[in-house]
């Protein structure tokens, strides 16, 4: 009988096709027990966003553009969304959301401080821009033996199911630094559709990009909660909700914003979008 073999770099490579198909490799308690000093790295893919297809997806929204082409409307909206949340803020929201939800037990109490990770990877020098994957093996200089990598792959606004919505997708992965063995992996995708309780009017959001940042934060918090739960296979209870951070609330003011009842211009200057 072939003796049982623990997951290694070779087995991790063999698992890649299955990982691509299912998007989830669970973490076992025995593997977590071997981790001594984890390091967290959060980043944004180079072409992650913010993106917008809402005017191209929904004819009901495109008809509000006063003759502006839907593709141009989406380009202008994407530029406005970028004012609501920088790539650095998006990545950090996810990282902090995961870390704050982990229990104050080993190995999490021995995690490499974020400032040291940033210093070694020089991520603070490009904090406002998406980054290529850094050389994470440098983290071994800090005594790290395991990497928890959090990556946002796509985020923005789209039209799906007949309504505008905000979305985010990405992946999380835990690997052994010296061997590259995969201990854990998960793909995630969350969407928040517009509703009467939570209106997500793209023209209102273009005027107040903070609304996009607040709604996106809610989705990132959902992803963080799932990842933090995955990282506790022994059933440890995480820190209380207050310490984990409560996502900011959205003001339900979309319908109370002033409308322009008078004549509207036939051309929109610069990067402007019509008034809601």
């Amino acid at each position: 009988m072939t003796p049982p073999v623990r997951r290694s770099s070779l087995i991790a490579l063999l698992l890649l096709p299955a990982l691509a198909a299912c998007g989830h490799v669970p973490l076992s308690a025995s593997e977590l027990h071997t981790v001594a000093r984890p390091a967290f790295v959060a980043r944004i893919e180079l072409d992650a966003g913010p993106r917008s297809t809402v005017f191209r997806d929904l004819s009901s929204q495109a008809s509000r553009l006063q003759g502006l082409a839907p593709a141009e409307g989406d380009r202008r909206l994407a530029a406005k969304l970028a004012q609501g949340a920088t790539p650095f803020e998006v990545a950090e929201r996810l990282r902090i959301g995961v870390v704050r939800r982990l229990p104050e037990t080993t190995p999490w109490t021995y995690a490499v401080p974020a400032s040291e990770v940033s210093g070694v990877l020089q991520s603070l020098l490009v904090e406002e821009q998406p980054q290529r994957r850094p050389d994470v093996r440098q983290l071994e200089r800090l005594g790290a033996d395991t990497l928890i990598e959090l990556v946002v792959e796509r985020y923005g606004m789209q039209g799906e199911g007949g309504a505008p919505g905000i979305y985010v997708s990405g992946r999380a992965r835990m690997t052994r630094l010296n061997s590259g063995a995969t201990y854990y992996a998960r793909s995630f995708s969350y969407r928040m559709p517009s509703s009467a309780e939570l209106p997500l009017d793209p023209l209102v959001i273009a005027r107040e990009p903070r609304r996009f940042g607040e709604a996106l934060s809610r989705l990132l918090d959902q992803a963080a909660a799932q990842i933090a739960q995955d990282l506790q296979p022994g059933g440890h209870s995480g820190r209380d909700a207050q310490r984990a951070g409560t996502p900011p609330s959205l003001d339900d003011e979309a319908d109370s914003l002033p409308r322009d009842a008078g004549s509207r211009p036939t051309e929109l200057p610069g990067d402007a979008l019509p008034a809601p």
Side-chain angles (χ1 to χ4, degrees):
M1 178 183 293
T2 304
V5 179
R6 188 179 175 281
R7 273 191 269 190
S8 63
S9 298
L10 175 60
I11 295 176
L13 289 174
L14 294 175
L15 280 174
L16 285 179
L19 174 58
C22 69
H24 186 210
V25 174
L27 175 66
S28 71
S30 60
E31 286 169 332
L32 181 60
H33 202 63
T34 68
V35 176
R37 189 161 169 79
F40 289 81
V41 173
R43 62 185 179 87
I44 302 288
E45 292 280 30
L46 288 173
D47 59 348
R51 295 164 171 255
S52 173
T53 59
V54 70
F55 294 116
R56 283 167 287 183
D57 293 341
L58 300 173
S59 59
S60 60
Q61 297 298 323
S63 64
R64 304 170 67 198
L65 288 175
Q66 302 177 27
L68 195 67
E72 177 62 15
D74 280 322
R75 185 193 70 79
R76 297 187 184 192
L77 178 57
K80 298 293 185 181
L81 299 182
Q83 299 173 18
T86 68
F88 178 70
E89 289 169 339
V90 173
E92 277 296 278
R93 180 77 183 205
L94 181 59
R95 182 192 67 80
I96 292 172
V98 172
V99 170
R100 287 183 175 174
R101 287 173 169 84
L102 292 173
E104 293 182 329
T105 58
T106 57
W108 312 120
T109 49
Y110 292 97
V112 180
S115 59
E116 294 183 23
V117 172
S118 296
V120 166
L121 300 183
Q122 297 185 323
S123 56
L124 291 177
L125 300 178
V126 289
E127 65 178 22
E128 295 303 324
Q129 298 298 325
Q131 304 170 42
R132 297 188 184 277
R133 189 175 192 268
D135 181 6
V136 295
R137 290 295 298 270
Q138 295 184 65
L139 295 171
E140 292 183 89
R141 292 161 43 192
L142 302 174
D145 61 354
T146 307
L147 169 69
I148 297 94
E149 187 174 26
L150 310 168
V151 182
V152 175
E153 298 171 333
R154 294 285 188 276
Y155 66 103
M157 287 199 74
Q158 62 182 189
E160 190 175 291
I166 290 173
Y167 70 94
V168 63
S169 63
R171 64 186 186 272
R173 191 178 181 207
M174 175 190 271
T175 54
R176 195 77 175 182
L177 282 171
N178 60 2
S179 67
T182 298
Y183 285 175
Y184 159 76
R186 174 183 286 278
S187 296
F188 62 84
S189 181
Y190 294 92
R191 183 176 185 269
M192 180 185 295
S194 182
S195 65
E197 296 75 27
L198 189 69
L200 297 173
D201 185 325
L203 296 182
V204 172
I205 288 176
R207 294 181 65 183
E208 299 183 64
R210 65 174 179 81
R211 293 177 178 267
F212 171 72
E214 291 170 352
L216 181 62
S217 291
R218 290 188 176 190
L219 297 183
L220 292 167
D221 285 341
Q222 290 184 50
Q226 179 63 70
I227 295 166
Q229 180 180 331
D230 290 347
L231 295 177
Q232 302 172 59
H236 294 288
S237 59
R239 305 176 198 184
D240 61 73
Q242 276 214 320
R243 295 189 64 181
T246 303
S249 60
L250 264 180
D251 299 323
D252 295 327
E253 297 173 350
D255 291 333
S256 66
L257 290 173
R259 264 57 170 182
D260 181 6
S263 61
R264 294 181 174 178
T266 56
E267 289 190 23
L268 295 167
D271 281 345
L273 282 166

